[in-house]
Amino acid sequence: MANEPETAVGTRKRAAATVKAGYEDEDYSVSFPLKAVRTGGKDKRDRPIEDVLWAVHDFKIYKTPQGVSPHFSDDPVVAEEQRERYLKLGSQLAALDHLIGRLPGGDGRRGSTNNRSYYEREMARGIAQALSGDEDAGRETMSHLTTVLEQKVGNVGRLYYFRMCFLVTAVVLLVGGLMLNLAPTGFDPGFAIAGMMGAVGALASVAVSLRGLSVDVGASAGLNFLYGGFRVFAGVIIALIVYLLLRSGIVTQLSATGGDGAMDMVNVYKLAFIAAAAGFAERLVPDLLNRDQTPRPMRPIAPPHGLQPRDYR
């Protein structure tokens, strides 16, 4: 065995790799050769090939409706090495595939062609670098692409979030306006005004902080819609709680109605401002309500001219 010709050793390695790869041809050729991978055809798992993103003499990288996939070399030994390099990229590939699937458009899972083609080609470039032996460059390419995609998917999520905030605010304003105009006699209009302005305050808060808003890049568009709706509803509820405090007398800064039970315009403006502040940032509400009620430190009284203050200690 020690003096066995190198060609025999290589042949045996090739045969072992062939058996491991699942090829049955005695001449060690593959049942699905590299040249069979072409746009418009099907891959070895019978998936339609939409485009060949990267093609060299010993591997190809292509895309199907399910994502980006490689086809390894016709040489079983080389194919086994490529397979090992590819498996090392598993976690990064899974993250990229998930992020590309969160892009808008298409069937809801995959992004539209304009959105995804650049990212899929960059993903193919990272895979090609790894399969060619430069695994560090491949991982670096994918790491950079992951960062870019997280930012893009985050921006899309923020847009969905704000859209839902705007939609819920519009619904609250519509319902509040109907309540003010169609409510029966005796209905306290302060509730409608507080709810409407709480929604407006919440929407303003989201608009101001939209750029830095933290969103879950793994969440679907539907979840981001729900998150946005919950934020506006929270602003409405907080504003209503503040109004109940005002009406109950626990907080006496605002008298909501005049002596005849009618709300005067001055108090309408006060209520609208406080409710909007409650929806904007609930943490500001206690300071706002207690500003005029917080005891101020008494200034020392100066003694009459010519007298010195007595020390009673």
Side-chain angles (χ1 to χ4, degrees), residues 14-303:
R14 193 180 309 277
T18 300
V19 172
K20 188 175 181 180
Y23 301 127
E24 300 177 353
D25 296 350
E26 292 184 0
D27 60 356
Y28 313 129
S29 63
V30 294
S31 59
F32 195 90
L34 194 61
K35 65 181 181 181
V37 178
R38 59 184 182 276
T39 302
K42 291 187 176 182
D43 66 0
K44 60 185 177 182
R45 298 199 306 194
D46 203 35
R47 300 177 301 179
I49 299 174
E50 297 179 347
D51 191 13
V52 176
L53 304 174
W54 206 278
V56 294
H57 69 282
D58 57 352
F59 65 83
K60 287 184 180 180
I61 303 171
Y62 60 94
K63 69 174 182 177
T64 69
Q66 286 72 38
V68 177
S69 298
H71 188 88
F72 303 120
S73 173
D74 290 346
D75 186 325
V77 174
V78 176
E80 183 63 23
E81 294 174 353
Q82 293 173 345
R83 187 175 292 105
E84 292 177 357
R85 294 167 182 165
Y86 180 74
L87 290 175
K88 293 178 182 179
L89 303 175
S91 59
Q92 288 180 297
L93 291 172
L96 284 174
D97 185 70
H98 177 75
L99 290 171
I100 292 175
R102 297 275 69 83
L103 294 175
D107 59 5
R109 179 183 180 278
R110 309 302 306 175
S112 66
T113 301
N114 290 336
N115 280 329
R116 81 183 196 182
S117 60
Y118 166 77
Y119 302 106
E120 288 178 329
R121 291 190 181 279
E122 280 294 290
M123 184 176 178
R125 184 168 73 91
I127 296 173
Q129 289 171 323
L131 296 185
S132 299
D134 196 349
E135 297 177 33
D136 291 339
R139 281 192 288 266
E140 184 177 351
T141 296
M142 293 192 178
S143 177
H144 172 72
L145 184 59
T146 300
T147 302
V148 172
L149 272 171
E150 285 177 345
Q151 294 175 351
K152 183 175 181 64
V153 172
N155 289 335
V156 172
R158 281 185 279 272
L159 179 60
Y160 284 134
Y161 187 96
F162 184 75
R163 282 179 179 175
M164 189 57 174
C165 288
F166 185 84
L167 179 61
V168 173
T169 301
V171 171
V172 171
L173 292 177
L174 177 61
V175 173
L178 291 175
M179 292 175 65
L180 289 175
N181 287 280
L182 303 178
T185 304
F187 172 74
D188 186 352
F191 285 103
I193 295 173
M196 294 165 64
M197 295 309 297
V200 170
L203 180 64
S205 175
V206 172
V208 169
S209 61
L210 186 62
R211 185 176 181 84
L213 185 68
S214 177
V215 297
D216 182 3
V217 296
S220 64
L223 280 177
N224 283 313
F225 263 81
L226 288 177
Y227 293 156
F230 291 155
R231 175 63 184 90
V232 175
F233 277 123
V236 172
I237 292 172
I238 292 169
L240 291 175
I241 292 174
V242 169
Y243 182 64
L244 287 175
L245 289 173
L246 298 173
R247 292 289 284 148
S248 66
I250 296 176
V251 178
T252 59
Q253 181 181 354
L254 173 66
S255 175
T257 59
D260 57 357
M263 181 176 290
D264 59 61
M265 290 306 297
V266 173
N267 285 327
V268 168
Y269 295 142
K270 287 182 180 180
L271 173 60
F273 177 75
I274 292 176
F280 186 88
E282 62 274 15
R283 290 172 297 178
L284 297 179
V285 174
D287 294 338
L288 180 65
L289 294 176
N290 295 326
R291 179 176 298 172
D292 291 338
Q293 300 182 39
T294 303
R296 298 178 181 178
M298 296 183 62
R299 296 170 59 185
I301 302 176

